[in-house]
Amino acid sequence: MKSTFFSLAALAAVAVAAPAKNNLLALRQAAPEITDGDILNYALTLEHLEDNFYRLVLDTFSESDFAAAGYDSAFYDNLQEISSDERTHVSYLTAALTAAGVTPVKECTYDFDIPNIKSFLVLSSMLEGVGVSAYLGAAADIMSKTYLTAAGSILTVEARHSAYLRSTLKQSPFPSPFDVPLTLNQVYTLAAPFIVSCPEDNPPLPVKAFPSLVSSPNNPEKITAGTIVTFLTEGYELQPASEKTEIYAAIITVTGPVFAEATRVEGGFSFRVPTAPEGTAEIAGQTYVVLTGCNTTVTDETTAAGPGLMEVTPQ
């Protein structure tokens, strides 16, 4: 994947062991100051991805294809409405950036693996959930009240998209009382695998992708607290900075991360899904996992890999 994005973060107590056996710890670099223009262009980057995704699906599968897969005309009409919403978000953000004197990013070239309608539904639900977490996580950094209100109004629409698609997949449309905020880098890590290349004249954004973390296809279909799951570090190996350093899986929640000791297995790490402490956000629904060498906090500086995704069934 060719990326126009930049900004390095340290991997704290855990580092990626590259094939060339580079130093285990990356150098820290101060993150650049993030402006409202950066955040709007970050949001526009995600909206371009979603807009392209839905247009591709509607060009690939007809209403009769959806009917053959068991989805009626009402669902197809709603899907067209979701696509229209994403296109409108692109238009709004592009206009807002232009009016503010900031060059808006143009859409990139994408690669979506959509062999059938079922795979589309799973991926669309995931993307909408990430969209909710992206706007929620970025809201605290928006300085302009006008932009904050607009971002909030987009967030609520993305949440309705997510709930509708989750319900279509026979999942709880609202599995938790809280949604999960993600940082700019965490969201870009999840979006980056779908981006092949971007226009060279796109303004660069202060974001980077962490090493990917992928839920094993051998994980149980139903995951609850107490289930042992495996996440794969495909194409690379994580090594602790010292023999005394533990590796943890951290579940991101709005009330703070919940940690579990991770055990190295072939191709990745396994851990038992923890139960959130009493009085904190339940671990349920679309759940985000990072690997870290720290068991007290999760930041871009302490993240070694991820986030990865798993669906946790509410108890």
Side-chain angles (χ1 to χ4, degrees):
M1 181 196 75
K2 177 183 176 183
S3 173
T4 60
F5 301 87
F6 65 92
S7 174
L8 296 176
L11 298 186
V14 180
V16 178
K21 296 185 178 179
N22 294 332
N23 293 336
L24 289 181
L25 288 179
L27 295 175
R28 286 183 186 270
Q29 271 191 346
E33 181 180 353
I34 296 175
T35 67
D36 280 358
D38 290 331
I39 294 174
L40 291 187
N41 255 330
Y42 153 82
L44 180 56
T45 298
L46 301 178
E47 294 293 352
H48 273 312
L49 187 150
E50 288 185 302
D51 175 41
N52 185 279
F53 172 71
Y54 285 109
R55 284 190 284 115
L56 173 64
V57 168
L58 290 171
D59 286 343
T60 303
F61 301 107
S62 66
E63 183 174 354
S64 60
D65 291 329
F66 278 92
Y71 300 97
D72 61 17
S73 59
F75 176 80
Y76 188 77
D77 289 344
N78 287 335
L79 187 60
Q80 290 180 307
E81 181 60 37
I82 291 174
S83 179
S84 175
D85 288 346
E86 305 300 355
R87 188 164 55 253
T88 300
H89 294 166
V90 167
S91 298
Y92 167 76
L93 291 169
T94 300
L97 283 159
T98 301
V102 179
T103 301
V105 295
K106 297 187 282 288
E107 72 174 0
C108 300
T109 301
Y110 309 96
D111 182 15
F112 300 107
D113 183 15
I114 317 173
N116 52 54
I117 288 174
K118 175 66 175 179
S119 64
F120 151 69
L121 290 171
V122 171
L123 183 52
S124 63
S125 179
M126 183 276 281
L127 291 176
E128 294 291 350
V130 171
V132 172
S133 293
Y135 278 100
L136 187 59
D141 294 324
I142 298 176
M143 301 300 294
S144 165
K145 292 183 179 180
T146 299
Y147 292 156
L148 179 60
T149 299
S153 70
I154 294 175
L155 187 160
T156 57
V157 172
E158 299 287 356
R160 284 196 285 275
H161 293 171
S162 176
Y164 179 71
L165 291 166
R166 287 182 60 84
S167 181
T168 300
L169 289 168
K170 311 301 181 186
Q171 297 172 340
S172 171
F174 25 77
S176 172
F178 301 96
D179 283 316
V180 179
L182 293 177
T183 68
L184 275 65
N185 287 342
Q186 289 168 345
V187 171
Y188 184 63
T189 299
L190 293 167
F194 304 109
I195 302 175
V196 176
S197 64
C198 295
E200 292 185 358
D201 59 347
N202 265 4
L205 300 179
V207 296
K208 62 158 281 185
F210 296 115
S212 64
L213 198 59
V214 180
S215 179
S216 169
N218 297 323
N219 282 338
E221 183 174 347
K222 181 178 180 180
I223 298 173
T224 61
T227 302
I228 296 176
V229 295
T230 297
F231 276 77
L232 306 177
T233 54
E234 297 179 337
Y236 67 96
E237 183 179 357
L238 285 182
Q239 294 287 359
S242 73
E243 294 181 358
K244 296 181 179 180
T245 301
E246 298 286 343
I247 295 179
Y248 301 93
I251 311 295
I252 302 169
T253 78
V254 70
T255 51
V258 183
F259 297 91
E261 290 188 4
T263 302
R264 185 183 300 277
V265 297
E266 183 176 359
F269 291 84
S270 292
F271 63 92
R272 188 180 299 275
V273 178
T275 300
E278 185 175 353
T280 63
E282 180 184 6
I283 298 173
Q286 185 159 299
T287 300
Y288 305 95
V289 182
V290 300
L291 294 180
T292 176
C294 174
N295 65 351
T296 58
T297 188
V298 171
T299 66
D300 288 347
E301 286 70 37
T302 63
T303 297
L309 287 172
M310 64 178 173
E311 178 68 24
V312 178
T313 302
Q315 292 186 307

